[in-house]
Amino acid sequence: MLVLQILRGVGELALGQQAQAQLGIVGVLVLLLIGIGLRAQRYGLAIGAALVFVALMTQA
């Protein structure tokens, strides 16, 4: 269980660093929207933000 939490934390950090390096503050804000959507159980917001994130990452 602890190993999964550590891997999740490292993955979140790596994804945040990559998003910030490629997209700047916009990438970080989109990742924040994904997190907010998942926490609030608003999956439409999370899925929409994830699609925008993927589209921005492929264009950058």
Side-chain angles (χ1 to χ4, degrees):
M1 189 62 131
L2 182 60
V3 174
L4 291 176
Q5 290 177 343
I6 291 171
L7 288 176
R8 181 179 174 193
V10 170
E12 289 174 357
L13 180 64
L15 189 59
Q17 292 286 336
Q18 184 180 7
Q20 189 172 15
Q22 288 186 357
L23 301 175
I25 192 70
V26 174
V28 175
L29 290 176
V30 172
L31 283 176
L32 182 65
L33 283 176
I34 293 171
I36 290 171
L38 290 175
R39 288 265 184 193
Q41 294 184 351
R42 301 210 182 262
Y43 297 114
L45 173 65
I47 292 170
L51 291 175
V52 168
F53 180 74
V54 169
L56 289 174
M57 289 296 281
T58 56
Q59 290 178 359

